[in-house]
């Protein structure tokens, strides 16, 4: 491939969302909810007794795989808690199609190139905006079909339990995309597989659904009018889908698929949301002082600063500014006991973690500071906190709203994350502050005792707004619809197989 073609393909990287954390239920939650949160991988069923879904994604940021894993977990929970409605277990074949099946660089190197481009927002902005133009969309469609049709066809034709099928005889019953670059070409490949190579445009019978993992804005490549269902998290993205020709009957709006630690508080997922006592659950399973004790934290006003799974976003300067501001706020205290608490999650940024930890940084006695690396229980840390400082990733914002956690957005990637800022501000549970100093000043304002409105403290008001915007049932709602689709397909395939056997027996 020539240099021009290589450069052209790079813009595709700009379609990936921000990275996210991988939460897990706390020890307390696990003890109380174990009966309903068991998630067997296969539930003891044979391959023939499982419906199968292939989930297409790429690890350009943690959000895609996190969404795929969330759906996989939801299918297992539905099968276990509602067996009469969901009798068959659903096996998910989650595949990073670009890394595993990309034919050459840069297509098979999207993950490292994503990290590089995310550090240089001007490059990201240029590629993202060019990719949204008619010419950019045409080039995306044309180049992927020319270079990736055959290798991606091997992916979609493979046995979902392992191995490849040259004839696609044992391929997945259904395909789901959780990535913006996994619509156009997979739909053509499925049409070709379903018609025996006769057509790439017509004749597809394998169900296909898109689950959009952006929130306040999304690239046009997310939306293809040929899908059976397109699940969107917000009205903004519903309108974007309509603008791209997706029919009203194809669009379903629930919310973002998020990890199990952030699902609805109730243990009994078979109940309707209205039947669950959230107040009681909040005071029990998610009692803030209890969670803090479980995490080894003090029961103090807590600011949580996160930098994404890769620790990006200037987290050292943010933590330093906020820590100094908290120390200044606590200076009037007559004792040396901590008055405020700050938790900094650096992700995989070991340099930031080392820089913020003693002896390189010594924090004041009136502020309790906890510096963490990558954590697997972000749901616990969010529920233990009063303020979140984060980049404007869609998953983190959705998870924060479920926890009733006010947000200060510190940065965003041009393009899809830009729309997340007005989403948070218009829903009343946060704001954007672009410098460490502005972030620290806002933390001070929110924590100050004089910061009150006619409805209560600023934090209390924003907490209520966050909970109003939350969609804790979205993952299970999406999984229910997808399960119905794959069960219907499974029934069709069974009827077709029986008819073939009858014809063969009569011959």
């Amino acid at each position: 491939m020539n240099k021009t073609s290589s450069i052209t393909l790079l813009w595709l990287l700009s379609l990936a969302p921000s990275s996210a954390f991988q939460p897990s239920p706390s020890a307390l939650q696990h003890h109380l909810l174990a009966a309903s949160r068991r998630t067997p991988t296969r539930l003891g069923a044979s391959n023939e007794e499982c419906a199968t879904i292939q989930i297409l994604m790429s690890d350009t940021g943690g959000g895609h795989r996190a969404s795929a894993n969330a759906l996989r977990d939801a299918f297992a929970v539905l099968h276990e808690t509602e067996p009469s409605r969901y009798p068959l277990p659903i096996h998910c074949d989650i595949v990073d199609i670009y890394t595993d099946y990309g034919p050459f660089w840069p297509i098979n190197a999207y993950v490292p190139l994503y990290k590089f481009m995310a550090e240089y927002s001007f490059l990201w902005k240029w590629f993202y905006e060019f990719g949204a133009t008619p010419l950019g969309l045409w080039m995306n469609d044309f180049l992927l079909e020319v270079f990736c049709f055959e290798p991606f066809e091997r992916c979609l034709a493979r046995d979902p339990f392992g191995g490849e099928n040259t004839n696609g005889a044992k391929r997945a019953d259904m395909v789901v995309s959780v990535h913006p670059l996994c619509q156009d070409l997979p739909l053509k490949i499925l049409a070709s597989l379903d018609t025996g190579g006769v057509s790439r445009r017509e004749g597809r019978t394998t169900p296909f659904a898109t689950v959009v993992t952006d929130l306040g804005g999304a690239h046009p490549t997310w939306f293809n009018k040929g899908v059976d269902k397109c699940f969107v998290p917000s009205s903004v993205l519903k309108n974007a889908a309509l603008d791209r020709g997706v029919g009203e009957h194809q669009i379903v709006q629930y919310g973002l698929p998020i990890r199990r630690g952030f699902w609805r508080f109730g243990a009994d997922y078979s109940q309707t949301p209205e039947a669950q006592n959230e107040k009681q659950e909040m005071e029990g399973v998610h009692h803030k002082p209890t969670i803090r004790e479980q995490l080894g934290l003090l029961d103090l006003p807590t600011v949580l600063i996160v930098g994404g799974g890769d620790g990006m976003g200037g987290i050292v300067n943010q933590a330093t500014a906020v820590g100094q501001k908290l120390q200044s706020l606590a200076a009037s205290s007559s004792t040396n006991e901590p008055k405020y608490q700050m938790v900094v999650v650096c992700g995989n940024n070991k340099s930031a973690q080392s820089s913020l930890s003693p002896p390189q940084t010594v924090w004041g006695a009136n502020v309790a500071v906890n510096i963490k690396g990558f954590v697997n229980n972000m749901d616990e840390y969010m529920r233990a906190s009063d303020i979140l400082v984060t980049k404007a990733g869609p998953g983190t914002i959705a998870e924060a709203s479920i926890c009733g956690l006010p947000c200060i957005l510190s940065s965003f990637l041009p393009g899809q994350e830009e729309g997340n800022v007005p989403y948070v501000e218009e829903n009343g549970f946060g704001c954007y502050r672009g410098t460490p100093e502005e972030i620290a000043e806002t933390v001070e304002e929110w924590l100050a005792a004089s910061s009150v409105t006619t409805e209560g403290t600023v934090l209390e008001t924003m907490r209520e707004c966050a909970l109003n915007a939350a969609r804790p049932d979205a993952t299970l709602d999406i999984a229910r619809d997808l399960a119905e689709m794959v069960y219907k397909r499974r029934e069709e395939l069974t009827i077709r197989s029986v008819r073939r056997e009858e014809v063969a027996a009569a011959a």
Side-chain angles (χ1 to χ4, degrees):
M1 185 175 62
N2 60 39
K3 182 177 180 181
T4 301
S5 297
S6 297
I7 293 174
T8 300
L9 287 174
L10 284 174
W11 75 266
L12 301 173
L13 297 169
S14 63
L15 310 181
S18 62
S19 57
F21 288 94
Q22 192 77 290
S24 64
S26 66
L28 177 64
Q29 288 173 301
H30 180 75
H31 176 74
L32 295 176
L33 308 183
S36 67
R37 290 200 173 186
R38 295 191 303 271
T39 311
T41 303
R42 293 279 297 280
L43 300 168
S46 68
N47 295 2
E48 290 73 19
E49 296 171 329
C50 290
T52 56
I53 295 178
Q54 185 177 73
I55 303 181
L56 302 178
M57 45 73 68
S58 182
D59 282 312
T60 47
H64 299 302
R65 187 173 293 276
S67 295
N69 289 342
L71 292 173
R72 176 203 61 200
D73 292 348
F75 292 136
V77 167
L78 290 176
H79 173 67
E80 186 172 355
T81 60
E82 304 178 52
S84 60
R85 185 176 177 185
Y86 305 102
L88 280 180
I90 297 175
H91 172 81
C92 292
D93 177 25
I94 301 172
V95 54
D96 183 337
I97 191 170
Y98 285 91
T99 299
D100 296 344
Y101 289 88
F104 45 69
W105 189 95
I107 301 174
N108 59 5
Y110 276 9
V111 176
L113 288 173
Y114 157 78
K115 294 178 182 179
F116 173 80
M117 291 190 65
E119 290 286 348
Y120 299 94
S121 59
F122 68 94
L123 282 176
W124 185 280
K125 177 179 176 66
W126 188 90
F127 281 114
Y128 186 94
E129 292 179 351
F130 170 73
T133 65
L135 175 61
L137 292 168
W138 176 84
M139 289 178 65
N140 168 60
D141 189 32
F142 174 77
L143 292 171
L144 287 180
E145 186 167 3
V146 168
F147 295 119
C148 297
F149 189 93
E150 291 184 6
F152 283 14
E153 185 178 40
R154 292 197 301 273
C155 174
L156 272 75
R158 78 181 193 176
D159 185 339
F161 292 98
E164 294 190 5
N165 299 305
T166 55
N167 60 1
K170 297 180 181 179
R171 58 190 173 94
D173 300 323
M174 178 178 173
V175 176
V176 173
S177 165
V178 292
H179 194 279
L181 293 181
C182 293
Q183 274 67 235
D184 296 356
L185 186 55
L187 284 167
K188 294 174 183 176
I189 292 171
L190 289 177
S192 178
L193 289 171
D194 289 339
T195 62
V198 173
S199 174
R200 295 185 180 184
R201 301 292 187 272
E202 299 176 346
R204 177 181 61 83
T205 56
T206 302
F208 186 99
T210 296
V211 179
V212 181
T213 60
D214 283 319
L215 185 60
H219 200 274
T221 50
W222 270 114
F223 309 110
N224 187 301
K225 61 184 179 182
V227 303
D228 296 298
K229 290 293 179 184
C230 179
F231 295 89
V232 298
S234 63
S235 298
V236 172
L237 297 197
K238 178 179 180 179
N239 291 333
L242 291 170
D243 290 342
R244 288 282 290 165
V246 182
E248 184 90 34
H249 66 286
Q250 297 168 283
I251 303 172
V252 182
Q253 182 179 336
Y254 287 135
L256 279 178
I258 41 90
R259 283 66 59 92
R260 282 199 304 168
F262 294 95
W263 292 358
R264 178 171 290 276
F265 302 125
D268 186 359
Y269 294 118
S270 65
Q271 292 186 36
T272 63
E274 294 75 15
Q276 303 186 48
N277 189 333
E278 290 193 19
K279 186 173 184 239
Q280 181 180 359
E281 291 151 9
M282 278 291 291
E283 293 173 350
V285 175
H286 299 307
H287 184 230
K288 186 172 288 188
T290 304
I291 296 175
R292 287 173 174 167
E293 181 181 359
Q294 292 281 331
L295 293 172
L297 302 177
L298 300 176
D299 190 16
L300 295 171
T302 301
V303 180
L304 174 63
I305 303 177
V306 301
D310 296 314
M312 298 185 294
I315 192 169
V316 172
N317 292 336
Q318 293 168 15
T320 300
V322 171
Q324 291 174 349
K325 184 63 71 174
L326 292 176
Q327 185 62 38
S328 175
L329 274 174
S332 60
S333 175
S334 58
T335 68
N336 286 328
E337 295 295 321
K339 188 175 180 181
Y340 297 102
Q341 185 166 238
M342 180 173 71
V343 178
V344 185
V345 179
C346 300
N348 291 319
N349 191 335
K350 297 186 182 301
S351 175
Q353 184 179 4
S354 175
S355 177
L356 292 170
S357 301
Q360 294 193 46
T361 300
V362 178
W363 303 94
N366 295 125
V367 180
V369 178
N370 290 265
I371 309 299
K372 304 292 182 181
F374 189 91
V375 302
N376 290 308
N377 54 340
M378 185 53 66
D379 54 318
E380 300 171 31
Y381 281 101
M382 283 193 182
R383 290 191 170 105
S385 301
D386 300 289
I387 298 173
L388 173 67
V389 179
T390 177
K391 68 189 295 290
T396 305
I397 290 171
E399 291 162 356
S401 69
I402 290 171
C403 296
L405 184 58
C407 299
I408 301 175
L409 305 180
S410 59
S411 62
F412 57 84
L413 286 174
Q416 74 272 21
E417 286 187 356
E418 195 168 351
N420 296 340
V421 174
Y423 176 87
V424 169
E425 292 178 338
E426 291 169 8
N427 279 287
F429 64 98
C431 63
Y432 172 76
R433 296 292 183 265
T435 68
E437 294 73 23
E438 291 173 339
I439 291 169
E441 290 171 1
T442 303
V443 168
E444 178 183 33
E445 176 188 340
W446 289 0
L447 289 176
S450 59
S451 295
V452 289
T453 67
T454 56
E455 299 158 346
T457 69
V458 169
L459 289 178
E460 288 175 354
T461 301
M462 287 192 291
R463 175 178 172 79
E464 291 299 320
C465 290
L467 291 172
N468 288 337
R471 299 293 180 267
D473 301 307
T475 309
L476 289 167
D477 289 338
I478 294 170
R480 287 187 177 96
D481 285 7
L482 294 177
E484 296 291 344
M485 293 173 68
V486 76
Y487 282 174
K488 181 178 179 181
R489 173 63 171 173
R490 187 79 175 180
E491 182 179 357
E492 292 171 352
L493 292 174
T494 300
I495 293 173
R496 187 183 304 175
S497 176
V498 169
R499 287 176 178 171
R500 280 199 301 265
E501 291 176 0
E502 290 175 347
V503 170

